[in-house]
């Protein structure tokens, strides 16, 4: 079997990996205090960083933890990422 593919897409460069990991242990309601959310966000980021280096030209990790995970700060992070991420990125 032979398959021929003709593509008119132009190469736009290698893709980058973007990861936004958010971990909140300390909620304003002390009944919701968690023990592993921030550590899990860090571990997840490290895992993507290590694995992504083999697959992507660049790995961009943004970790937001505890008091920094406010609506205003997360909105700023999303705005910043929106300026960086390209269509071929993951």
């Amino acid at each position: 079997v032979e398959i021929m593919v003709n593509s008119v897409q132009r190469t736009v460069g290698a893709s980058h990996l973007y990861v936004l990991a958010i971990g909140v242990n300390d909620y304003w309601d002390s009944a919701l205090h968690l023990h592993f959310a921030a550590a899990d966000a860090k571990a997840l980021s490290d895992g993507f960083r290590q694995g992504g280096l083999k697959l992507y030209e660049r790995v961009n990790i943004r970790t937001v933890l505890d008091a920094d995970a406010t609506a205003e700060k997360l909105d700023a992070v999303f705005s910043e990422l929106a300026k960086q991420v390209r269509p071929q990125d993951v």
Side-chain angles (χ1 to χ4, degrees), residues 10-77:
R10 64 177 216 264
T11 304
V12 292
S15 61
H16 298 174
L17 174 65
Y18 286 84
V19 176
L20 172 58
I22 304 167
V24 179
N25 286 344
D26 298 320
Y27 285 88
W28 63 270
D29 182 350
S30 60
L32 297 175
H33 182 76
L34 302 176
H35 298 284
F36 304 109
D40 287 349
K42 291 176 188 176
L44 182 72
S45 296
D46 290 341
F48 273 111
R49 181 178 290 112
Q50 291 173 3
L53 290 174
K54 299 174 186 173
L55 300 172
Y56 300 96
E57 180 180 53
R58 198 166 108 205
V59 177
N60 303 282
I61 305 289
R62 183 68 187 263
T63 306
V64 180
L65 305 174
D66 292 320
D68 289 331
T70 65
E72 296 82 20
K73 290 182 181 181
L74 290 175
D75 193 37
V77 170

